Amino acid sequence: MEDLIKQFEKDLRQHLENVYSASVEPDDIKRLDQAEKTVFDFVDDYLLESALIARDVERPTQEVLDQFARSKINYIE
């Protein structure tokens, strides 16, 4: 189970980075917001294709989002 959660975290980080990087929005805060708004659908689709359940990914999802936002905010400042 731990390996599945680690893979989920890695995939979510990559998803966020891809969405953030692909955005044509010039405002970095808005780009961050756009990336974060895609997380629900990403997680929903991921759960449908894996053995994980929502309870398994709730905490890791929040941690990845927090880390991603902090990294982008530090970059912006």
Side-chain angles (χ1 to χ4, degrees):
M1 181 64 77
E2 187 69 26
D3 290 342
L4 291 174
I5 292 173
K6 293 290 182 197
Q7 184 62 46
F8 167 78
E9 291 172 342
K10 179 182 174 188
D11 293 345
L12 179 56
R13 280 188 204 96
Q14 186 63 50
H15 167 77
L16 287 167
E17 193 61 52
N18 289 346
V19 172
Y20 183 86
S21 297
S23 175
V24 295
E25 175 63 54
D27 183 331
D28 288 330
I29 298 295
K30 288 181 181 176
R31 289 171 65 193
L32 178 59
D33 183 56
Q34 287 175 343
E36 288 181 347
K37 286 180 178 178
T38 68
V39 170
F40 179 79
D41 287 337
F42 175 84
V43 171
D44 195 36
D45 292 343
Y46 202 94
L47 293 177
L48 290 173
E49 298 176 11
S50 74
L52 296 170
I53 61 173
R55 185 179 69 212
D56 297 333
V57 299
E58 183 178 3
R59 185 181 51 79
T61 298
Q62 190 59 54
E63 290 172 356
V64 169
L65 278 171
D66 291 347
Q67 292 168 358
F68 185 76
R70 276 194 301 271
S71 74
K72 296 306 177 191
I73 290 169
N74 287 338
Y75 171 75
I76 293 167
E77 293 176 339

